[in-house]
Amino acid sequence: MIYFKLFLAFFKIGIFSFGGGYAMLPLIEKQVIYQNNWIDYEGFIDIIATSQMTPGPIAINSATFIGYKIGGVLGSIVSTMGVVLAPTIMILILSKYLLQFNKSKTVQSIFEGLRPALIGLILASAYSVGKTSIFDYTTFLIVTLMLIIINKTKIHPIATIFVSACLGVFFYI
Amino acid sequence: MKRRILKLFIIFLKIGAFTFGGGYAMIPLIEKEVVEKNNWIEKEEFLDSLAACQSVPGALAVNNAVYIGYKLEGLLGALAAALGVILPSFFIILIIAAIFTTIKSYSIVNAIFIGIRACVVALIATAGLRLLKDMKKKNMFMVSMIVISFISIAVFNINPFIIVVVSSVAGIVKNRLIKNKRKRANHDIF
């Protein structure tokens, strides 16, 4: 049953998506591309790009997008519910015991290991997206240029996406 | 009380509609509404709630909405705030997904997406590099964790779930080892 499968896949993504945003890209990639073959790699990058241009967390956006593609409106609803369910329950429990929890030595130790691993996860997803997105000198130049602009100026990320879109039209049409 | 639930919903609807680029970008927005304008919680507690929201899985925006909603109006408040923050992106993405297949066949759309896909690489890399820069003390343990997790995914294609679990355990083991070493050092002194 496709709705159950969608729910389960995004429930799993929800449980393991520590660090939010980009850190969960490899998880989403694994579930929707390799384990379930729901979309191909290019479609996956399109979803990331779309999530960047529209408001909202990437987890919700990709759940809605993929859910709709695979199971229509109902599919998008079950996927979105799946991805928020586990974190919501955890937050509800946590808000009752917040202070004790934060001071626990074990929890702090876990985060000491988790945080650097998350950086590795994010950089790995930049690498794997790059393998598909960079296919000639021009795309390589766009990536380099955007890296410099994002890091050296205060330009909003949405503006860099817009500029890149214009460069795409300029060079590839 | 009912009015505050509605207000929670509307405030988080607004936040959900204007959160571009996800996560951290909406922290100042929530703070403005919840701490400054409505005086619902103290600034201190807001910061604590952010730390708590980052320490569980899930999107920061949704987690924070649930936390604040629950704090103010219990389960119903949590539900109202979470729905508020989710609904705008849900409907926008739904519309885009519905027309995406049609517009993708135009060559201009294709060219646009070649450009955008390149930009996405830069954005993701920047997110990783900024976190790296924000790490206060860089030691051998951290550097090797970054390298190991990068290589396991990029080269060996290992399941990220495994890396999440293994790195958590590594953090615990490392701190246990340090503690034992200190204990032994103390024994030597006395």
Side-chain angles (χ1 to χ4, degrees), chain A residues 13-20 24 83 86-88 90-91 111, chain B residues 52-60 63:
Chain A
I13 291 169
I15 289 182
F16 289 100
S17 58
F18 284 95
M24 61 173 79
V83 83
T88 300
M90 285 185 218
I91 283 288
F111 277 93
Chain B
C53 291
Q54 281 176 299
S55 69
V56 296
L60 192 62
N63 289 356

Side-chain angles (χ1 to χ4, degrees), chain B residues 10-11 27 55 114 128 133 139 147 177 190:
Chain B
I10 291 170
I11 282 178
I27 293 174
S55 69
I114 290 176
K133 223 163 68 184
N139 52 35
V147 174
L177 286 180
F190 297 114

Side-chain angles (χ1 to χ4, degrees), chain A residues 152-166:
Chain A
K152 296 289 170 204
T153 65
K154 292 214 157 135
I155 287 177
H156 199 283
I158 299 168
T160 61
I161 290 177
F162 184 74
V163 173
S164 309
C166 294

